[in-house]
Amino acid sequence: MSIGFDFGTANCCVAHLVNGKAVPIPLVGENVYLPSTLCAPNAESVSEYLFRCLNIQPSDETNQAVLRRAIKLNREEGLDVIADDVKFGHQALELYLQDPKDVYFVKSPKSFLGAMGLRDMQLSFFEDLVCAMMSNIKTRAEAAIEKEFSQTVIGRPVNFLGRGGEASNIQAVDILTRAAKRAGFKEIEFQYEPVAAGLDFENTLTTDKKVLVVDIGGGTTDCSMIQMGPTWRGKLDRKDSLLAHTGQMVGGNDLDIFIAFKCLMTEFGLGTKLKSGLDLPLIQFWNSVAINDVQAQRSFYAHDNLPTLRQFHMDAMEPEKLNRLVKLHQETLGHGVIHQAEMAKIAMSDQETFTTLIDLVSETFNVPTSRAGIDAAIENPMNKIRSLVQEAVTQSGIEPDVIYMTGGSSRSRALTSAVASVLPNTEIISGNYFGSVTAGLTHWADLIYR
């Protein structure tokens, strides 16, 4: 039996076909969406959890080496990994927020896929992370409807990471494929996420149209210019209808990061000076919240960065603010700041101001934010999204009859306005912000596996 699998940057969702309709499968109670988060006692416990608790074997010699190292380190720490040690979704975030210093927390591992310059051991660990999340979702879905799934179509962005080009895409798809096989899927295919969303929208069309699908997700924005409608519906060969694809790693996570950086990090010393009159280096503030950049996070949270931060604290004109940056490092609280930035972003959809609550364990304080301030903070990612829309139009050589916007981040009033500014005379239709990709993947799975 097949499912459509939206392994999203922000949330994961799966669906199966029931009487010709894509029906999402509940993953937690009645909730069909599971946040893409994982929390464990330490990073090494993830690999041992797969082997010891789920009986999932390593995929190759490098993966075996990752497992051996994990078991060795866990024994040295006196840690016996049990199934309940690894949490997913909201449970993972709650555990992290309760005790951020003493747990390993990862949000959106999909954001790391395609990162270049990493060692084989690091890539194998990413595979373990993805496998743990996929296995958890597959198990939950099968328990919910009491059926086993062996076939899946997994959504993928047009480009995982722009810096690595096609090499990044190949690496990312390889990791996803190996992880899915280890999680128990026998047959695995991929489909571009904007194409999947378009396939769902196509079911509503009574005439053929040229549609620009703009999918703004948690980690990436993808645009596809597609000819769709009754002429194309149900066809397995769609290559002549796919006119252009553009995509870049810019999405909801980037909005959260820019909001955190420009609106919240001022309370941690951003924009202040040292007693010498020099500015504090921006990179320390950026790296602390750049949760989708492996190297940035490693650089900020490295043990040898702490003396540097403490020296800045001693030399700062406003040491009380720099002390917060030191605490952020010591308590590994970057994800907590990003969570507050996300809350502010969501609130600005229907209100003008919002007060974020920053909890540093040793200190709790409020930071007021405004719609104008947040709109200014996200101008950089908005410009990137405008460029992707324009590039899709240029590549295809046509203008669309309609723009179909989907993806959780497309709910943002500012982002809708940004897309509209490129094609001001084109109708914009908003779809199922979270479910259209999953539905399209499910219909495509039924078509190719029937």
Side-chain angles (χ1 to χ4, degrees), residues 84-363:
D84 200 45
D85 283 339
V86 181
K87 305 289 187 183
F88 302 89
H90 289 296
Q91 286 186 334
L93 179 60
E94 289 168 4
L95 183 59
Y96 163 75
L97 293 175
Q98 289 172 9
D99 193 9
K101 183 179 180 181
D102 293 326
V103 296
Y104 172 76
F105 178 76
V106 60
K107 177 181 180 181
S108 310
K110 185 180 176 182
S111 298
F112 304 152
L113 301 182
M116 305 306 289
L118 300 179
R119 300 188 303 272
D120 288 345
M121 294 276 282
Q122 292 171 308
L123 295 176
S124 286
F125 175 66
F126 286 166
E127 181 188 314
D128 282 351
L129 278 176
V130 174
C131 181
M133 297 182 72
M134 284 186 166
S135 177
N136 175 64
I137 291 165
K138 183 174 184 289
T139 299
R140 289 171 183 262
E142 290 175 340
I145 65 168
E146 299 180 341
K147 292 181 180 178
E148 183 179 352
F149 300 112
S150 60
Q151 303 165 319
T152 186
V153 173
I154 302 172
R156 57 153 291 184
V158 174
N159 291 304
F160 285 85
L161 281 173
R163 293 188 296 274
E166 191 55 25
S168 287
N169 293 332
I170 292 170
Q171 180 220 90
V173 169
D174 183 56
I175 289 174
L176 287 169
T177 302
R178 288 154 64 99
K181 285 182 178 178
R182 292 173 68 200
F185 290 106
K186 302 282 192 301
E187 297 180 72
I188 302 153
E189 297 291 339
F190 292 88
Q191 178 59 274
Y192 285 146
E193 289 160 355
V195 173
L199 292 173
D200 182 49
F201 177 57
E202 186 175 55
N203 289 329
T204 68
L205 295 178
T206 56
T207 60
D208 289 351
K209 290 183 180 295
K210 299 182 290 291
V211 180
L212 177 62
V213 181
V214 181
D215 178 14
I216 308 177
T220 57
T221 292
D222 296 294
C223 303
S224 288
M225 189 76 79
I226 310 174
Q227 290 181 335
M228 58 176 60
T231 299
W232 298 96
R233 189 178 300 132
K235 285 190 175 183
L236 189 58
D237 184 0
R238 295 290 304 244
K239 62 179 181 295
D240 290 340
S241 72
L242 307 178
L243 306 179
H245 302 295
T246 62
Q248 191 174 346
M249 187 180 172
V250 55
N253 280 353
D254 296 271
L255 305 185
D256 300 338
I257 290 167
F258 272 89
I259 291 168
F261 178 66
K262 295 199 172 185
C263 298
L264 304 184
M265 294 311 292
T266 52
E267 299 303 314
F268 293 81
L270 177 65
T272 64
K273 294 182 179 292
L274 298 169
K275 293 173 184 175
S276 63
L278 296 175
D279 292 329
L280 282 153
L282 297 179
I283 193 66
Q284 291 284 359
F285 302 97
W286 177 260
N287 286 350
S288 70
V289 293
I291 61 168
N292 59 0
D293 188 326
V294 178
Q295 304 294 356
Q297 290 282 277
R298 182 180 296 125
S299 176
F300 180 77
Y301 287 109
H303 181 71
D304 59 7
N305 191 40
L306 185 56
T308 302
L309 296 176
R310 283 175 169 159
Q311 189 62 51
F312 286 147
H313 172 231
M314 292 175 60
D315 297 339
M317 292 286 289
E318 299 182 51
E320 69 283 357
K321 290 186 176 181
L322 267 297
N323 187 51
R324 292 171 176 166
L325 192 64
V326 173
K327 293 295 184 185
L328 187 73
H329 177 286
Q330 290 177 313
E331 305 292 339
T332 322
L333 294 170
H335 281 283
V337 175
I338 289 294
H339 180 63
Q340 285 300 312
E342 182 182 14
M343 294 300 98
K345 177 188 69 179
I346 293 171
M348 293 306 165
S349 296
D350 54 17
Q351 60 191 71
E352 294 293 330
T353 62
F354 181 77
T355 301
T356 62
L357 176 66
I358 307 296
D359 186 354
L360 296 181
V361 181
S362 59
E363 178 192 11

